[in-house]
Amino acid sequence: MTLQATRAAREVETRRWIRCVHCGVTQYLPKLVRAQQVCPDCGGYGRLDGPERLARLLDPDSYSPLPRRIRSADPLGFTDVRPYAERLAKARGRTGLDDVVLAGTGTVRDVPVVIAVLDFRFLGGSMGSAAGEAVTVAAETALATDRPLVLVVASGGARMQEGCLSLMQMAKTGQALADLRRAGVGSVCVLTDPTFGGVTASFATLGDVLIAERGSLIGFAGPRVIEAATRSALPAGFQTAEYLHQRGMLDLVETREGLRPLLGRVLTLMTEGKPPHAEETGPPDPVRERPAAETLKLAREITRPTTVDYIGLLCDDFVELHGDRCGGDDPAIVAGLASLRGVRVMVIGHQRGHTTAELLERNFGMANPGGYRKALRLMKLAERLRLPVVTFVDTQGAAPGIEAEQGGQAWAIAEAIAGMSELTVPVVATVTGEGGSGGALAVAVANTVLMLENACYSVISPESCSTILYGSPSHAATMADRLRITAPELLRLGVIDAIVPEPEGGAQASPREAAEAVGTAILGALAEFTTFGPEELRAHRHARFRRMGEVADAG
């Protein structure tokens, strides 16, 4: 009998009906268990215990507990209304658990993992020495076996009855997750309701990918504490998973039913894939040289394929990741884990859109500081996981405006450029539309820079150049020619490494054909670096940009 079936049978033996805590409607318990504790009337989520979580997330019969059994001691001899030792004994008797954390190995959609689940029934999922030790041992096991670590969290925070020793578990578990990061072993944290306090401020939010179950309350201080401290009403949806996702603090929010398949996809993209390979092709199509103004018009065409289009046409799977972890998630930058014709990569790109509504939502592909911080965060994740970085460049430039300046636009772009320069994984950038100024370069500091035949890349838009030099945009066509913004001109200048031919009429005339050419070019470029070591990749990129520019000696 599975863990889930054992728990369900025990519940059914003692009671047959239960009242939903969200809507108050009485539900038939066996039916509710089958529905994963999701109320059929209001859709509200009841809490799942540790064994249920394991049964719902892992492949059947794949779970094996870690051999070491860890229990809390009573280091302070603590007593409140009852002795701490008595509380522990009662919690063990009621739950059948040694302590908060169930830890072991298993598989998720056939991907081997180490998993640790916090059970809220055991003293509110609080983290004492035993919980900290169990999470740390799980992380150490993941490190030793090179398996990704999955943490499923439900906690009220640190355990007061163990005093400062409980507080120290934040550092212990944080170090354990840092060890995984340094070794390039992936980790995924699944945050459920509730996740608060010292657990949130330590291992729960240190995973490479943060997934929250829909409707979960997540934070540091509890809402009642915040209301009392501020003496003001909290915003609607405050501290819910959805609220935090909108503010860039979480990668994904998922339904309970969708957690296992999503987790399987993320883990597969983290761990499985074939090496980059060059595909056999015939001789490249000839590149047509057009006047710069004509090329610019094609590059700006609203029907031209976007980053999302290329992802859909090229990738076997893609999981978009969100947020800069500083309070924002800029939709002008799309990024995530992907399988590009079987090759694991991190894809990052500007996203303009095709309709007026999407153009406005995406700010015409002009990223704010949060977009560049998100891009850099995910580049660093790619480096930890040893994933090549593939970027798509298509923006008039970085977002202008008061908010962008207040948010540190220049600082964000500078950090993205410097951070991308230091990556020790292969980076291939493709200019697909309009590459404008530092907003484009911030995701284009690559080992190889490709450019579509009808794309443009420039220090400034021709219109702005004309306005600055002539007082109006009337000389834009002339400036477009003089700025040398087309692919053939930039290839001659050494700014780009190769031109990707487009179908007759441009990429917008046949997006699938254009995507095929782009995918082949990207994989060919990545294949050139399969024998490069980490430091060689960084040195190659540094040397590429070191030789840029022409100077004349003064004498």
Side-chain angles (χ1 to χ4, degrees):
M1 184 177 288
T2 65
L3 289 167
Q4 177 194 355
T6 301
R7 195 263 183 179
R10 187 171 66 248
E11 288 278 9
V12 171
E13 285 175 6
T14 56
R15 52 181 178 159
R16 306 285 288 185
W17 300 90
I18 189 171
R19 187 182 299 274
C20 173
V21 297
H22 299 282
C23 65
V25 175
T26 300
Q27 301 293 340
Y28 185 51
L29 185 56
K31 181 179 179 181
L32 199 59
V33 169
R34 289 193 297 272
Q36 302 189 56
Q37 302 291 343
V38 179
C39 176
D41 283 271
C42 70
Y45 284 16
R47 288 173 183 160
L48 295 178
D49 62 28
E52 283 179 309
R53 287 287 182 190
L54 290 170
R56 296 291 184 185
L57 293 177
L58 295 178
D59 298 336
D61 302 319
S62 70
Y63 178 69
S64 178
L66 296 183
R68 184 180 171 196
R69 295 180 62 182
I70 302 170
R71 284 188 168 189
S72 289
D74 184 11
L76 307 185
F78 192 92
T79 298
D80 45 80
V81 295
R82 65 168 62 94
Y84 177 45
E86 184 180 315
R87 288 187 184 276
L88 289 171
K90 185 175 180 181
R92 290 176 188 133
R94 187 178 64 254
T95 63
L97 305 177
D98 286 318
D99 211 279
V100 171
V101 178
L102 290 84
T105 60
T107 60
V108 180
R109 295 289 181 95
D110 297 323
V111 178
V113 300
V114 177
I115 188 168
V117 176
L118 276 67
D119 194 317
F120 194 78
R121 296 175 303 155
F122 199 104
L123 298 184
S126 55
M127 179 169 65
S129 298
E133 182 69 9
V135 169
T136 300
V137 168
E140 290 170 344
T141 303
L143 185 63
T145 60
D146 198 26
R147 290 184 171 196
L149 176 66
V150 176
L151 298 171
V152 186
V153 186
S155 176
R159 190 173 297 175
M160 296 177 291
Q161 293 90 342
E162 294 186 25
C164 216
L165 290 175
S166 176
L167 181 66
M168 295 304 109
Q169 304 312 304
M170 295 172 65
K172 177 194 288 187
T173 56
Q175 288 179 168
L177 269 291
D179 287 342
L180 291 182
R181 286 184 174 184
R182 187 163 48 252
V185 177
S187 59
V188 181
C189 292
V190 180
L191 311 183
T192 73
D193 185 59
T195 300
F196 277 96
V199 168
T200 314
S202 59
F203 66 88
T205 49
L206 290 176
D208 292 320
V209 176
L210 302 184
I211 304 173
E213 190 172 73
R214 192 183 71 185
S216 297
L217 287 178
I218 302 162
F220 183 58
R224 285 182 295 180
V225 173
I226 295 172
E227 279 188 316
T230 62
R231 297 182 181 179
S232 59
L234 301 179
F238 185 68
Q239 292 186 316
T240 62
E242 292 77 5
Y243 184 93
L244 293 171
H245 183 254
Q246 291 173 359
R247 285 155 182 79
M249 310 310 293
L250 301 170
D251 286 296
L252 299 153
V253 175
E254 189 54 77
T255 63
R256 182 167 289 173
E257 183 180 11
L259 272 179
R260 190 173 110 85
L262 174 61
L263 187 58
R265 290 172 61 205
V266 169
L267 291 167
T268 298
L269 292 171
M270 277 185 164
T271 59
E272 297 179 5
K274 58 188 180 183
H277 57 283
E279 300 179 346
E280 291 188 13
T281 60
D285 295 332
V287 173
R288 295 167 287 264
E289 293 205 39
R290 294 185 170 90
E294 182 182 333
T295 303
L296 184 61
K297 184 177 179 181
L298 285 169
R300 290 174 172 174
E301 173 61 51
I302 196 171
T303 59
R304 194 168 176 83
T306 65
T307 294
V308 168
D309 295 322
Y310 283 114
I311 289 170
L313 290 166
L314 288 174
C315 296
D316 316 307
D317 195 11
F318 172 71
V319 175
E320 185 176 357
L321 304 178
H322 294 268
D324 64 354
R325 299 292 188 271
C326 297
D329 179 44
D330 188 349
I333 295 285
V334 169
L337 298 163
S339 171
L340 198 166
R341 297 181 182 172
V343 178
R344 295 186 306 134
V345 297
M346 181 70 75
V347 174
I348 299 167
H350 301 98
Q351 178 63 19
R352 291 185 186 230
H354 294 298
T355 66
T356 301
E358 188 181 4
L359 287 165
L360 292 172
E361 178 192 355
R362 305 277 188 176
N363 198 31
F364 297 84
M366 295 186 292
N368 281 284
Y372 296 112
R373 293 185 182 117
K374 173 170 68 173
L376 181 57
R377 177 178 77 84
L378 295 181
M379 290 176 196
K380 290 180 177 179
L381 172 57
E383 183 174 44
R384 292 200 299 272
L385 299 176
R386 306 309 304 163
L387 301 179
V389 174
V390 172
T391 70
F392 294 98
V393 180
D394 186 14
T395 181
Q396 291 181 0
I402 295 173
E403 288 187 8
E405 292 300 315
Q406 289 176 335
Q409 185 70 288
W411 285 259
I413 292 172
E415 289 293 343
I417 291 171
M420 203 172 186
S421 298
E422 292 300 295
L423 294 176
T424 56
V425 293
V427 183
V428 175
T430 305
V431 184
T432 60
E434 184 176 9
S437 191
L441 182 61
V443 294
V445 184
N447 295 95
T448 298
V449 178
L450 308 172
M451 191 168 172
L452 267 68
E453 177 185 337
N454 295 311
C456 295
Y457 198 4
S458 178
V459 65
I460 191 173
S461 73
E463 293 85 356
S464 295
C465 181
S466 174
T467 299
I468 291 170
L469 297 179
Y470 291 96
S472 80
S474 59
H475 295 269
T478 301
M479 293 302 99
D481 279 325
R482 291 178 181 173
L483 286 167
R484 311 286 180 88
I485 65 175
T486 64
E489 292 281 15
L490 292 169
L491 184 63
R492 284 190 281 270
L493 288 170
V495 172
I496 66 170
D497 300 291
I499 301 172
V500 182
E502 297 187 32
E504 184 66 37
Q508 51 269 45
S510 180
R512 186 170 297 279
E513 185 180 345
E516 285 295 314
V518 168
T520 298
I522 290 172
L523 289 176
L526 288 175
E528 294 179 10
F529 299 106
T530 52
T531 61
F532 281 54
E535 290 306 317
E536 289 178 294
L537 288 163
R538 178 174 16 213
H540 175 276
R541 199 176 310 112
H542 276 236
R544 183 185 184 280
F545 285 90
R546 178 66 181 84
R547 62 177 177 263
M548 295 284 181
E550 293 186 15
V551 297
D553 291 332

